[in-house]
Amino acid sequence: MMLKDTLLYLAQNPRLRDFVVQNKLTRNVSRRFVAGEILDDAAYATRLLNDRGIQVALDLLGENVSTQEEAKAAVRAYCSAIELITKTSIAANISVKLTALGLDIGRAVCEENLALLLSVGQQHNVFVCVDMEASTYTEQTCAIVREAQKQYPQVGTVIQSYLYRSRQDIEQLVGQGMRIRLVKGAYKEEPDIAYQEKADVDQNYVQLMKILLARGNFPAIATHDEAMIDAACAFVREHGISKKSFEFQMLYGIRRDLQGKLVKEGYNMRVYVPYGSHWYPYLMRRMAERPANLMFVVTNAWH
């Protein structure tokens, strides 16, 4: 936990960010977890994954924009991704953070930008998943997505199992027919709102996962944890749930062996493919989540 907290703190350190981003070695190593800095890089990675029977969620990295111009630029970039999906017929949808669409500027700005993005997604029949960020945004994110779904049914969101409130959120969202991506959570949260022990986070993940598998609308079980995956597979077998009624999701560059194994077993697999120049905070969160990722970066940075 101390290592995780340190890495999450460093993810917000501007001096370290500038050093890492400008360093050629770390930029090269980051390509293990980030497809590249432009959309064409992400499209190339997507085609390679599609060739392995794996679908993709495209994520333009960048969050907490402070100007309307930056938010509009993010909308244009995502619209370009949607249009590329349609033009090239790659098997992909998109993920977006509301702070990239201007939530820190104002809720009205964010909602306007999200509506524009969702209208383009609906026009091209491309699903849009609204990512969940730190807990300070949870309530607003759920409320914005619930309202948006009334007009744009192809929108979904993410729920984090380390938050105490997540079961209540899932019950409400499932009742509305919302597509949900279940994750453990990758931000530092206080003990009064989030489980601090891995065992508690895992236990809650399994409980929420079972609700989604039994009653959800094509949920995404997003994890690299084989214990969680085994629990999901056992649950669907025991309850006669079709493998095609949900999907597993993993992150680009992590557990590629397990991705292939699940595809061979007949499960839907989607890989979250991040791209863009703002990759430093994302990379640090991946290091915090899994020590093996940190060891990969340290080892490869010096070889």
Side-chain angles (χ1 to χ4, degrees):
M1 286 301 297
M2 184 178 296
L3 175 61
K4 179 178 179 179
D5 290 349
T6 300
L7 290 169
L8 291 176
Y9 168 76
L10 293 176
Q12 307 302 319
N13 186 299
R15 294 181 63 184
L16 182 60
R17 176 197 62 208
D18 292 343
F19 170 76
V20 171
V21 168
Q22 294 168 17
N23 185 285
K24 185 177 179 180
L25 285 173
T26 53
R27 285 174 70 92
N28 289 340
V29 172
S30 73
R31 293 295 290 268
R32 167 67 183 261
F33 305 102
V34 179
E37 298 198 356
I38 61 174
L39 179 57
D40 284 347
D41 294 331
Y44 177 73
T46 298
R47 284 190 287 270
L48 294 179
L49 287 162
N50 288 171
D51 288 344
R52 295 170 51 207
I54 297 171
Q55 299 187 69
V56 162
L58 291 173
D59 173 44
L60 174 64
L61 295 173
E63 53 200 81
N64 299 107
V65 303
S66 58
T67 69
Q68 294 198 34
E69 290 75 17
E70 290 175 311
K72 291 294 185 185
V75 173
R76 290 194 297 271
Y78 271 111
C79 288
S80 294
I82 290 172
E83 290 162 2
L84 179 71
I85 289 169
T86 303
K87 180 180 178 180
T88 61
S89 298
I90 55 176
N93 58 35
I94 66 170
S95 285
V96 60
K97 288 180 171 60
L98 292 185
T99 62
L101 302 184
L103 185 55
D104 288 338
I105 302 168
R107 178 164 169 173
V109 171
C110 175
E111 289 179 322
E112 180 181 346
N113 286 327
L114 180 62
L116 176 58
L117 179 58
L118 292 176
S119 67
V120 175
Q122 186 164 283
Q123 177 185 346
H124 293 276
N125 195 30
V126 173
F127 175 73
V128 177
C129 184
V130 174
D131 275 343
M132 193 60 73
E133 302 178 67
S135 62
T136 50
Y137 298 104
T138 303
E139 182 64 33
Q140 288 189 87
T141 299
C142 287
I144 289 170
V145 174
R146 286 198 308 269
E147 186 63 28
Q149 196 213 21
K150 295 175 183 177
Q151 186 173 355
Y152 304 105
Q154 87 288 7
V155 67
T157 194
V158 177
I159 293 296
Q160 302 158 320
S161 73
Y162 66 177
L163 295 181
Y164 301 146
R165 61 172 290 163
S166 290
R167 178 161 189 153
Q168 179 180 347
D169 288 332
I170 278 185
E171 291 288 353
Q172 189 171 31
L173 293 167
V174 165
Q176 191 171 323
M178 185 81 66
R179 278 179 64 176
I180 296 173
R181 177 180 191 252
L182 180 64
V183 303
K184 291 186 181 181
Y187 296 87
K188 179 175 172 54
E189 303 291 359
E190 296 301 320
D192 60 327
I193 61 171
Y195 297 106
Q196 302 297 302
E197 299 297 327
K198 180 181 184 300
D200 294 328
V201 176
D202 289 353
Q203 182 180 33
N204 200 41
Y205 188 98
V206 171
Q207 292 174 351
L208 299 178
M209 176 185 72
K210 290 178 178 179
I211 295 172
L212 292 174
L213 290 172
R215 296 163 42 209
N217 173 24
F218 197 73
I221 309 305
T223 180
H224 310 99
D225 188 331
E226 290 191 66
M228 303 297 101
I229 292 169
D230 289 345
C233 294
F235 185 80
V236 298
R237 282 196 308 270
E238 292 165 4
H239 293 81
I241 298 170
S242 171
K243 293 179 179 179
K244 299 305 180 183
S245 65
F246 70 99
E247 65 184 17
F248 285 111
Q249 290 191 7
M250 296 187 189
L251 299 173
Y252 183 71
I254 301 178
R255 293 309 309 267
R256 289 178 287 195
D257 57 331
L258 188 52
Q259 294 169 17
K261 176 177 178 288
L262 289 168
V263 169
K264 289 180 180 178
E265 292 176 358
Y267 292 98
N268 296 308
M269 169 59 62
R270 188 179 301 274
V271 166
Y272 185 95
V273 174
Y275 67 100
S277 58
H278 300 287
W279 48 264
Y280 171 75
Y282 174 85
L283 182 66
M284 295 300 287
R285 287 198 292 270
R286 299 294 78 79
M287 302 307 99
E289 282 177 341
R290 190 165 179 260
N293 295 339
L294 176 62
M295 291 307 299
F296 174 86
V297 168
V298 171
T299 301
N300 285 271
W302 299 103
H303 288 82

